[in-house]
Amino acid sequence: MSKIQILFCASEVSPYAKTGGLADVAGALPEALRKLGCDVRIFMPLYRSAREKLKALKPLAEDSPIPIGIHDYHVHILRTLTPAGIPLYLLEKDEFFDRSHLYGTPAHGDYEDNAERFIAFSRAVHTLCVRLHWYPSIFHLHDWQTALVAAYHRLNWRYDPNFIHSGTVFTIHNLAYQGVFPADYFSLTQLPPDVFSFRGMEFWGQCNFLKAGLVYSDMLTTVSPRYSQEIQASEFGCGMDGLLRDRHNSLVGILNGIDCEEWNTEADPYLPARYSMDDLEGKRACKEVLLSDLGFPEGSRRKPLLGMISRMAAQKGFDLMGEILDNLMDLPVSLVILGTGDAAIEKSLKEMESSFPDRLRILTAFDEALAHRIEAGADIFLMPSRYEPCGLNQMYSLRYGTVPVVHATGGLEDSVVDAVQNPDTGTGFKFADYEPFAFLGSIQAALDLYRNRDKWREIQRRGMGQDFSWTRSAGQYLNIYKNVLARKPKRPSPIPPA
Ligand code: ADP
């Protein structure tokens, strides 16, 4: 049988451009799928950060016109290979992508031309395939930035015999980000007029890119089974719950994997010492170096170190954190929070930091090396997200022997087993009600167990032994691709040589 050909269309791909978990998925899943025998390739915008990291880029298409509304924009497409040998194609349009950030700046918010930027990217997918003479079986689309590909494919491209065999899979990494623009932006898409209706991408009189993905893709996936359920109810449905209930037969939740090579305590180049499930000694060294780098006093070594790494966004539970911080600082612990994002959250945390100079560090940076050192050096990891489509840090924590305390939602619910309710199988601590004292209670339960060294080692080792590899998730995606393709016209078999 010929290989399934998959084009990943993603607005961020680790390590070239990243704001969150989507980049980790788009960076790691292609390789896992290739190991399962697929022909996978990746298409992303050539942002400034990607250009800085990718030196050997070769031209593939030059000066190709992309229509946006009544204008043609001229773009280039470049090509390279990832270190794992996956073909990576990049849309070069400096006017759109050579910027300091991916979607907007902390000071001024979203870029005003985000609609144009991602219409261009979505339409360039067609240019790419035609230029390559490569017509993938599956377009795997991610989040609102690439959702229009599903509409272009369903309403336009599939009438071309080259595309009739292909299907679309749309993955929702976070339903809250929808790409909503004023109604008059619709004309920029050049989609048929009836697409701007409640059956298409119109949403309360506006143009909603994500909705195009939900309506026109063959299959929908989310990044954890629990989140796929939660988004079908109004609380987390972000206005799309009715549509998602309607499409529930085409909606599947697959828990993300993690990059087990990047997150490997036995070979992590960022760590001052290495360790393993059988020998946790190095973890203690990681904690000591981290405490001293953070400038915490000598006595902190004996106290548990709590860590948190997160985008500073309301979703991530900073309201709970703010409410419990005084009480938490009454306990014998130290806390380090690494994150960037919402300026108001950053400011209020920074203010609290000055009240607890020996116990609290707020580091407002995006720093991968530090993220690794915190995952290794902390004893307990906090993830009180209000909702969490999947979440990666709780899985990194488990792998690093850093016991997670999480709100029981989405992927946090699916990946952490509560040790209070399941003493023999528990890997962390979960609280069900999104309430400050429920969160504090769970931290307290973790601290109680921390005092019992043997039991603590047990729970650490259990977490470190979990399988969060991409191989497991990739197999589930492969089944979805096969289901989609089973419903498509078959590609004619090549004529055997005479
Ligand atoms: P989300 O995608 O909602 O931001 P995830 O937990 O799925 O949350 O993924 C977040 C990813 O971004 C993780 O790989 C995490 O380590 C990383 N990350 C978030 N903030 C920072 C930061 N300030 N510095 C380094 N890495 C960060």
Side-chain angles (χ1 to χ4, degrees), residues 18-22 24 174 263 309-311 315-316 338-340 365-368 371 383 388 390-394 396:
K18 169 166 163 172
T19 66
L22 155 62
D24 295 274
N174 191 337
W263 293 92
I309 303 164
S310 173
R311 268 186 304 121
Q315 171 207 338
K316 299 293 183 179
L338 170 67
T340 52
F366 196 96
D367 185 334
E368 303 231 4
M383 210 155 162
E388 193 57 79
C390 175
L392 294 169
N393 277 306
Q394 81 283 11
Y396 300 152

Side-chain angles (χ1 to χ4, degrees), residues 53 106 148 263 318 333 349 360 412 428 435:
K53 289 180 183 131
L148 287 185
W263 293 92
F318 285 102
V333 298
L349 286 171
L360 178 61
L412 301 176
E435 298 289 343

Side-chain angles (χ1 to χ4, degrees), residues 63 70 120 158 205 208 220 233 246 250 252 281 289 346 366-367 388 402 410 425 430 445 450 456 461:
D63 252 336
I70 56 168
R158 79 176 160 129
N208 186 314
L220 306 175
D246 198 47
S250 309
V252 176
E281 198 44 39
V289 174
E346 285 187 17
F366 196 96
D367 185 334
E388 193 57 79
T402 305
T425 54
K430 293 202 275 200
Y450 179 82
W456 192 255
R461 291 207 169 96

Side-chain angles (χ1 to χ4, degrees), residues 283-293 301 377:
K283 185 165 172 64
R284 201 159 56 149
C286 290
K287 177 174 174 179
E288 283 174 13
V289 174
L290 179 64
L291 287 170
S292 117
D293 287 352
R301 287 178 185 197

Side-chain angles (χ1 to χ4, degrees), residues 386-454:
R386 180 184 288 273
Y387 70 92
E388 193 57 79
C390 175
L392 294 169
N393 277 306
Q394 81 283 11
M395 294 192 271
Y396 300 152
S397 304
L398 288 166
R399 206 165 147 73
Y400 274 49
T402 305
V403 178
V405 174
V406 304
H407 177 216
T409 183
L412 301 176
E413 171 71 337
D414 288 335
S415 56
V416 178
V417 180
D418 182 60
V420 175
Q421 286 175 15
N422 310 280
D424 297 332
T425 54
T427 56
F429 295 83
K430 293 202 275 200
F431 59 99
D433 296 329
Y434 189 76
E435 298 289 343
F437 287 96
F439 179 31
L440 191 61
S442 249
I443 297 176
Q444 190 75 64
L447 296 175
D448 288 346
L449 201 80
Y450 179 82
R451 280 185 216 109
N452 182 332
R453 296 312 291 167
D454 291 341

Side-chain angles (χ1 to χ4, degrees), residues 57-71:
L57 293 171
K58 296 198 177 76
L60 175 70
E62 290 189 320
D63 252 336
S64 300
I66 302 282
I68 302 177
I70 56 168
H71 300 288

Side-chain angles (χ1 to χ4, degrees), residues 172-177 222-228 230-231 253-256 311 315-316 385-392 394 409-412 414:
I172 306 160
H173 294 263
N174 191 337
L175 191 65
Y177 298 87
T222 65
V223 287
S224 69
R226 173 57 63 118
Y227 190 60
S228 76
E230 289 174 344
I231 57 177
I254 300 176
L255 193 69
N256 282 339
R311 268 186 304 121
Q315 171 207 338
K316 299 293 183 179
S385 310
R386 180 184 288 273
Y387 70 92
E388 193 57 79
C390 175
L392 294 169
Q394 81 283 11
T409 183
L412 301 176
D414 288 335

